[in-house]
Amino acid sequence: MTAFLIGAFIGALCGGTIVARRGGNKKDIAQYAAGYAVFFGFIVLFAWIFMLRMSV
C-alpha cells in the first residue's frame, strides 16, 4: 500500500509540474496532478504485484 502512495505522490508532482511549466491555471494543475497520480499509482501497484508473484 505504501508503494502505491509513493507512486501516486510522484505522479502528482510530475503532473503538476508539467502543467505549471506550460502555464496552466490551478484547476488544470489539479486535474493533471490527479490524473498522473492515479496512473503512476496503478503502474507501481501492478509492478509490485508482479514482483510479489514472481518471488513465489
Side-chain angles (χ1 to χ4, degrees), residues 8-56:
F9 181 71
I10 292 170
L13 286 177
C14 290
T17 304
I18 289 170
V19 178
R21 286 185 191 165
R22 293 181 184 171
N25 60 19
K26 290 186 180 192
K27 290 180 182 178
D28 293 333
I29 294 171
Q31 183 177 3
Y32 270 78
Y36 273 67
V38 169
F39 179 71
F40 276 51
F42 280 125
I43 295 296
V44 169
L45 180 68
F46 287 127
W48 186 260
I49 291 171
F50 178 75
M51 289 187 325
L52 287 175
R53 296 289 293 167
M54 295 303 290
S55 68
V56 173

